[in-house]
Amino acid sequence: GENVEQHPSTLSVQEGDSAVIKCTYSDSASNYFPWYKQELGKGPQLIIDIRSNVGEKKDQRIAVTLNKTAKHFSLHITETQPEDSAVYFCAARNTGRRALTFGSGTRLQVQP
Amino acid sequence: DGGITQSPKYLFRKEGQNVTLSCEQNLNHDAMYWYRQDPGQGLRLIYYSQIVNDFQKGDIAEGYSVSREKKESFPLTVTSAQKNPTAFYLCASSTGQNLGYTFGSGTRLTVV
């Protein structure tokens, strides 16, 4: 089945700096790659997603890139703010199993 | 407002007891999912359902059971066969077209 690896497990940046979180997936049939943000004690919230027919997608300070050949995708957050501090999860989904497989999460801390 | 509701927020279980976690959505979503989250780990799939009266096992279904008698509801029972049930349980739903999930706020189950 699908396996998703996520790095780093923790990331600390200064306010205003950029943050990059990387994920790799194992199943070449995967075609949908969302990113979720989870605040303490809450359920994850979708922040951006990308499908396999697109290489990059941007939404204000957040962008996601996908390299299908290498089977990896990344989340980029620019001009980080303290409210960006949370745990971020990547996920992948293929048409064979109609459910998401999640990475292990990255705890992002933005220092004011 | 449309959303997905999990109850209770906190649940305590004695050894050998079965407990049922509630998940209700009013988003008219066809698919529903249950994930387990342990500290410092990603989300692991327990069960999922694409349509009413049908569900499939995920990666860690042993010791759990579900039902999907109504489109809006997908309750999860944690049985006494689940040896290590203490965790944060997340329910999610999605439409067929939009692959991204909407998550509930979670139920924290503790064995006492």
Side-chain angles (χ1 to χ4, degrees):
Chain A
E2 175 69 279
N3 182 47
V4 178
E5 294 191 359
Q6 183 172 348
H7 300 282
S9 57
T10 60
L11 179 59
S12 182
V13 299
Q14 291 295 124
E15 182 176 358
D17 287 350
S18 295
V20 180
I21 302 170
K22 298 181 179 182
C23 288
T24 59
Y25 60 98
S26 61
D27 190 340
S28 57
S30 289
N31 57 5
Y32 175 68
F33 308 92
W35 286 88
Y36 289 83
K37 175 183 180 181
Q38 185 179 30
E39 297 178 345
L40 193 62
K42 298 183 179 180
Q45 284 195 307
L46 180 68
I47 56 172
I48 195 167
D49 57 11
I50 192 168
R51 294 175 188 253
S52 57
N53 59 348
V54 176
E56 183 174 358
K57 184 176 177 180
K58 191 173 182 180
D59 182 4
Q60 299 183 338
R61 297 186 297 109
I62 294 174
V64 57
T65 58
L66 172 65
N67 183 327
K68 286 191 296 182
T69 303
K71 290 190 285 188
H72 67 70
F73 56 112
S74 300
L75 177 71
H76 305 253
I77 306 174
T78 59
E79 300 172 17
T80 53
Q81 302 166 3
E83 51 265 38
D84 293 329
S85 296
V87 178
Y88 291 82
F89 291 97
C90 63
R93 171 171 166 157
N94 62 49
T95 54
R97 185 170 89 163
R98 298 165 68 86
L100 292 172
T101 299
F102 285 83
S104 55
T106 296
R107 182 172 299 279
L108 173 65
Q109 188 168 9
V110 180
Q111 308 282 358
Chain B
D1 287 339
I4 183 166
T5 301
Q6 289 187 243
S7 62
K9 190 171 179 65
Y10 299 96
L11 186 57
F12 297 90
R13 192 195 89 170
K14 292 183 179 179
E15 295 276 357
Q17 280 185 338
N18 292 355
V19 290
T20 298
L21 284 58
S22 171
C23 179
E24 303 276 336
Q25 55 99 359
N26 60 3
L27 299 165
N28 200 33
H29 285 175
D30 292 312
M32 297 186 75
Y33 311 83
W34 275 104
Y35 285 84
R36 170 180 171 143
Q37 185 175 24
D38 293 286
Q41 297 189 31
L43 284 66
R44 293 184 290 167
L45 182 66
I46 305 172
Y47 269 98
Y48 63 107
S49 169
Q50 297 294 317
I51 57 172
V52 175
N53 292 322
D54 188 40
F55 49 83
Q56 290 79 41
K57 292 182 178 180
D59 299 316
I60 56 166
E62 185 175 352
Y64 300 97
S65 66
V66 294
S67 63
R68 186 83 188 277
E69 297 176 0
K70 298 187 300 181
K71 186 176 184 178
E72 302 81 17
S73 179
F74 192 40
L76 173 73
T77 296
V78 184
T79 74
S80 57
Q82 171 49 237
K83 298 305 178 188
N84 184 23
T86 295
F88 190 51
Y89 290 86
L90 286 160
C91 180
S93 67
S94 70
T95 66
Q97 291 74 35
N98 180 5
L99 302 179
Y101 291 174
T102 299
F103 277 95
S105 55
T107 292
R108 188 166 299 280
L109 173 63
T110 303
V111 174
V112 296

